[in-house]
Amino acid sequence: MSGRHDEQDRPPGEAANGGIRVVLPAHLKNLARVRGEVTLRLGGGHDTMTRQALLDALEAAYPVLRGTIRDRATGRRRAFIRFYACQRDLSNEPPDVPLPAAVTSGAEPFLVVGAMAGG
Amino acid sequence: MTRVRVLAGTRKGAFVLTSDGSRATWDVSGPHFGGWEVYHLKGSPADPDRIYASQSSGWFGQLIQRSDDGGATWQPVGNDFSYATEPGTHLWYDGTPRPWEFKRIWHLEPSPDDPDVAYAGAEDAALFRTDDGGAAWTELTGLRTHSSGPGWQPGAGGMCLHTIIIDPAHPGRMFTAISAAGTFHSDDAGQTWRPVNRGLRSQGTLPEDEPEVGFCVHHVEMHPSRPDTLFMQKHWDVMRSDDAGQTWREISGDLPTDFGFPIAVHAHEPDTIYVVPITSDSLHFPPDGRLRVYRSRSGGGEWEPLTRGLPQENCYVNVLRDAMAVDSLQDCGIYFGTTGGQVYASADAGDNWEPIVRDLPAVLSVEVQTLP
């Protein structure tokens, strides 16, 4: 899946005018050469958007992120990557479960987080 | 005017150091890819402004970066290092079978002839090649699928392919080395491989006298003018082969300890070699807290300590396997980086040393380019 995307420094809590908001960890922002949130504007309805589809769209928009969030060989979440949204840890949700409505509406961001580990 | 460029990969980024031919003062740029581990970076002999870098992280995996302007700017290129055939199993530390799993690229070896061609050595051990400047990487499966593969075991640092040597005199001839499988030889540009480990010993750990594999080779070097001669720093033992790896003999001689990681060969004297003795496999620091490079001018056996300018008390750093290199100026320069973040250089073949940068993150690799 692909679609339009943009990135901006958005105040917390401000909706993304229909786009899905993604917050990347600092290293991946640098890699993708973005500063603020990424907003993905995808064709079709977002109501049944899954994590897998969201990450597919993110990687299509920023190919340099391929392999950095999901393992290249298995497609699974990398061990030290976590996913959060709406105050919930979605890391261990199956990838084909629909995302929370507040994420698909753009009211809440989808957070990609580098887990606290190591030094 | 001749210049020298030193490429240092560290635990938290890459640094590029440049100097003129005097090698008296150095400009330092970096960190490039700050916060990421840079196991190795190396320039193309065919186009010295083309540099490949291996950038990795336990969080975010493997990336390859490429510079086309001598390290000033970088562009991420391909990072798909999928094994080309069904990964079989190797032996785990406990002797049980374990599937091959890609972790990172330890070493990048650009082709001497074509800047778009480079080889990459992976953990878990496999060899990859690019023909398009790093956009796509294809595994040369003949090495990983060698019949001895199911019997390979990782060393303490992982089952890494850390040494790739391209023989300039014999087209298609290559050598690789894997911890802790051993050394391998190809005559067909990496399509097929055979182990070349006869004469190596791993006392007390091997059930046979002459096993085909099972050796913790730390690093291998070749002098381009004498391609049948290989020098090896093994886990223990410094070794030499004069028949392209067919047989090996020990040249540890009078070293204070023959444990260590890197080995280097003088640019113009193929029998002058350098090692950095480390106390033991359980004490990864120099004996007596004294950082000493040892030089042999006779191809091994007899060694002299080189200490001038190196710390001779309270020094407990290590020098890792890819962290020593030479330039090719008339007065050959020798360089090495430490886990304490210093890069030391000698502009007179090892007689005198000084740090050309210090307080970097732990240095993982050092490569040197001599530029026209």
Side-chain angles (χ1 to χ4, degrees), chain A residues 27 66 68 72 78 115 117 119, chain B residues 12 34 36 59-61 74 79:
Chain A
H27 281 310
R66 288 183 180 140
T68 64
R72 274 276 196 182
R78 293 186 56 79
Chain B
K12 299 292 180 186
W36 294 67
W59 286 263
F60 308 118
W74 297 85
N79 67 342

Side-chain angles (χ1 to χ4, degrees), chain A residues 6-10 22-39 62:
Chain A
D6 57 32
E7 54 97 4
Q8 53 198 286
D9 294 314
R10 188 187 314 285
V22 180
V23 176
L24 297 171
H27 281 310
L28 297 190
K29 283 183 189 172
N30 290 339
L31 198 58
R33 296 181 179 168
V34 300
R35 289 186 302 143
E37 292 181 358
V38 172
T39 301
Y62 300 96

